[in-house]
Amino acid sequence: MGHGRSTLRTPAAVALSAALVAGTVAGLAPAAQAAPSIRFVDITGDGGTVLKANVLTPAGADGSHDYPLLVLPTSWGLPQAEYLAQARKLADRGYVVLTYNVRGFWQSGGRIEVAGPPDTADASKVIDWALEHTPADPRHIGMAGVSYGAGISLLAAAHDKRIRAVAALSGWADLIDSIYSGRTQHLQAAAVLDGAATLTGRESDELRAIFDNLYSSNLSKEQEMIDWGRKRSVATYLDQLNSNGPAVMLANAWGDTVFPANQYAGFYEKLTGPKRLQLRPGDHATAELTGLFGLPNDVWTDTERWFDHYLKGADNGVDKEQPVLLKSRGAGGYEGYPDWKSVAATRRKIALAGSTTIHANVDSGADGGIVFLSSILDQVAQLPPIASMPLLPRRWAAVWQSERYGTARHVRGTASLHTTLTPTDESGTLVAYLYDVGPLGIGRLVTHAPYSWHGRTPGEPFGVDLDLFSTAYDVPAGHRLALVVDTVDPLYAEHNPSGAQLTFSSPSDDPSYVSVPLREQ
């Protein structure tokens, strides 16, 4: 099992790092106007750890006045060159921009703490340094980042009142809900993170133990892992963040296989200050990728507008726009909503009638895809994972279908499954998939989610309530929706003993269904 993970994760980490670094360098090539000054500096972080950083100052800065400060921590496994293309654009707009390599990666000192307390303290030390050594305005400080940099930015804003605006792109609010949702290990996502850390950084002993316990499904360490993740989740510090009151912009992709969109959407609703939520097609950090190349990119354009308004006072209208912006995975532009609850105006239930038994341990052919690759194909070519409903083996997959729809259905938000399950063993895993099924029976994946249980009494039924990953998908007229449940998916760990069986039933006093959120027609 361990060898398989290594061969999977190494090319993925190398490809991602190389693409971003090469793209950033390419984005720096044009220089039609006076360039901002750039310095490569060492900053002493928490506990004396040396952080490697770049500082860009607006062209012509002569010390006569201050500029808003933007601090950008790097993404997981990427060097400090990651943001240079965007940092130059921001410096051209009148910001002092400081990008730094987070501890444990590349030339920075220390070991990887996964947005732990030392990383949060580092962000404050970086701000301290910038206020002392650059013409940065202490009243107008923002933080932004992609992925790991997004998570650190949010955590820093919860702990440092000086941070007045944040743009968290492809980040997380709840780390455990991201990589252990449904009490199920997201193995491919963890392997990519582990591989990138091994190639480009130095894992702490604590992180190495977390990965090992995750891979081995060590239930004796489950609570320890959850506590570790909570300490690194801004959702834990929600009250502090709301008390500090920074303007928070959250952006993510529907198909993010590292940090699924659900945890951002739920967190967004609990924020009380100025806020914005943008969700688009794609996978982890793919929506921001062209911007790191220095190419036009709507995520980075909106990030610039966010900071221009909340740090520079620009009357650009960003505060008057609908705060929730969604782009469907099909064609079309952004849809605006006043809040997340308004996204799904109505809900329709598909009954999961009858009693169905499936056998475990065999992949039925219904899958969530491959980390990064599948959602990128969906983003670029509208080609999500597919499965043939007539050919799915009913021995290993339970299948229920809706009626054929006479008009298009616009799925928006979070579908949820409710059913009664009777397992033959105390532990197990199921994966639920919602498909858009065409006239020939070919299903295109709309959304899915895993679910695991432990310590159940064999043969005793219990209720299962599972939120599938949030999405925006348009089902054409003449198609139908299908719910498929099986027990094996390459994206996830599975806990079904050999020979296990799962029986799904729909008692008359507690009928089973999948509830589908729909935009009002």
Side-chain angles (χ1 to χ4, degrees):
M1 183 174 174
H3 180 267
R5 284 197 304 271
S6 292
T7 57
L8 164 71
R9 70 197 184 200
T10 302
V14 171
L16 182 60
S17 297
L20 288 178
V21 174
T24 299
V25 173
L28 290 174
Q33 63 184 53
S37 66
I38 180 170
R39 289 187 289 154
F40 297 88
V41 300
D42 291 349
I43 297 175
T44 301
D46 184 57
T49 297
V50 175
L51 307 173
K52 299 293 182 177
N54 307 320
V55 183
L56 285 85
T57 306
D62 57 7
S64 61
H65 68 278
D66 293 337
Y67 299 88
L69 169 66
L70 290 179
V71 176
L72 285 73
T74 51
S75 300
W76 185 272
L78 295 183
Q80 65 200 70
E82 174 189 5
Y83 297 119
L84 282 180
Q86 284 301 322
R88 174 174 174 172
K89 289 185 176 183
L90 290 165
D92 285 339
R93 297 175 74 89
Y95 294 93
V96 172
V97 186
L98 194 155
T99 77
Y100 72 97
N101 238 112
V102 293
R103 65 169 53 222
F105 284 104
W106 295 87
Q107 292 87 6
S108 285
R111 304 177 78 182
I112 302 168
E113 300 290 344
V114 195
D119 291 298
T120 304
D122 282 346
S124 292
K125 292 284 188 180
V126 168
I127 292 172
D128 292 342
W129 185 94
L131 293 178
E132 183 178 351
H133 295 91
T134 74
D137 185 344
R139 301 165 302 169
H140 299 100
I141 298 173
M143 287 192 68
V146 176
S147 183
Y148 195 38
I152 291 175
S153 295
L154 285 170
L155 284 160
H159 289 84
D160 193 326
K161 294 181 179 180
R162 297 174 297 179
I163 300 168
R164 305 313 309 147
V166 175
L169 316 178
S170 291
W172 75 92
D174 187 327
L175 190 58
I176 292 300
D177 197 38
S178 296
I179 62 174
Y180 194 56
S181 69
R183 212 176 172 187
T184 307
Q185 298 93 325
H186 295 209
L187 281 185
Q188 285 191 18
V192 169
L193 295 174
D194 189 6
T198 301
L199 285 170
T200 64
R202 299 165 301 282
E203 295 177 343
S204 66
D205 293 339
E206 183 181 35
L207 175 57
R208 185 66 261 156
I210 290 292
F211 275 130
D212 290 344
N213 291 330
L214 189 78
Y215 295 143
S216 64
S217 302
N218 187 347
L219 289 177
S220 69
K221 298 292 185 179
E222 182 182 37
Q223 189 58 50
E224 182 179 313
M225 182 184 74
I226 290 172
D227 292 341
W228 173 88
R230 284 176 177 161
K231 188 184 295 185
R232 291 157 171 82
S233 300
V234 70
T236 303
Y237 311 101
L238 176 66
D239 290 344
Q240 289 176 225
L241 186 67
N242 282 335
S243 176
N244 291 347
V248 177
M249 171 180 157
L250 305 172
N252 207 346
W254 296 120
D256 195 318
T257 45
V258 180
F259 303 129
N262 293 45
Q263 43 89 36
Y264 252 10
F267 177 70
Y268 170 84
E269 283 291 88
K270 298 173 184 176
L271 291 172
T272 57
K275 58 184 179 178
R276 185 181 184 98
L277 176 66
Q278 299 183 196
L279 296 170
R280 335 167 147 70
D283 205 313
H284 185 63
T286 62
E288 300 88 0
L289 186 59
T290 57
L292 295 177
F293 287 9
L295 300 173
N297 179 278
D298 62 342
V299 186
W300 286 102
T301 297
D302 288 339
T303 297
E304 293 168 358
R305 296 177 65 233
W306 190 252
F307 287 133
D308 283 352
H309 179 75
Y310 286 105
L311 296 184
K312 296 170 66 177
D315 186 14
N316 56 16
V318 73
D319 58 322
K320 301 179 180 66
E321 297 168 356
Q322 294 277 36
V324 176
L325 294 173
L326 312 181
K327 182 180 283 189
S328 170
R329 288 160 51 198
Y334 285 98
E335 303 166 358
Y337 300 87
D339 51 42
W340 177 250
K341 293 178 182 178
S342 300
V343 169
T346 60
R347 300 190 74 93
R348 294 288 184 266
K349 291 182 179 180
I350 300 172
L352 311 180
S355 178
T356 302
T357 298
I358 62 173
H359 295 252
N361 309 119
V362 174
D363 189 339
S364 71
D367 286 325
I370 300 172
V371 65
F372 290 122
L373 177 61
S374 297
S375 291
I376 292 174
L377 283 174
D378 188 29
Q379 175 185 3
V380 174
Q382 287 77 58
L383 292 174
I386 63 172
S388 171
M389 296 301 109
L391 296 182
L392 285 175
R394 272 31 178 196
R395 178 179 176 84
W396 295 298
V399 181
W400 297 267
Q401 298 192 71
S402 73
E403 76 280 4
R404 198 179 304 277
Y405 298 124
T407 59
R409 294 290 189 269
H410 305 286
V411 180
R412 299 290 186 272
T414 308
S416 57
L417 166 67
H418 173 74
T419 189
T420 297
L421 171 63
T422 306
T424 57
D425 289 272
E426 66 171 5
S427 295
T429 298
L430 62 84
V431 186
Y433 309 88
L434 188 66
Y435 284 96
D436 160 26
V437 183
L440 299 180
I442 302 300
R444 296 161 60 92
L445 187 64
V446 176
T447 182
H448 77 287
Y451 178 90
S452 296
W453 63 93
H454 301 283
R456 292 289 180 176
T457 302
E460 184 174 303
F462 64 93
V464 171
D465 287 286
L466 174 63
D467 284 343
L468 279 61
F469 298 139
S470 303
T471 194
Y473 185 98
D474 299 324
V475 180
H479 287 213
R480 65 181 78 218
L481 286 170
L483 183 81
V484 177
V485 180
D486 72 1
T487 62
V488 177
D489 190 304
L491 286 171
Y492 309 109
E494 58 101 358
H495 302 276
N496 300 294
S498 179
Q501 297 179 32
L502 310 181
T503 297
F504 301 93
S505 58
S506 184
S508 58
D509 60 344
D510 185 20
S512 296
Y513 60 84
V514 58
S515 176
V516 181
L518 300 174
R519 191 184 75 194
E520 195 165 21
Q521 303 301 305

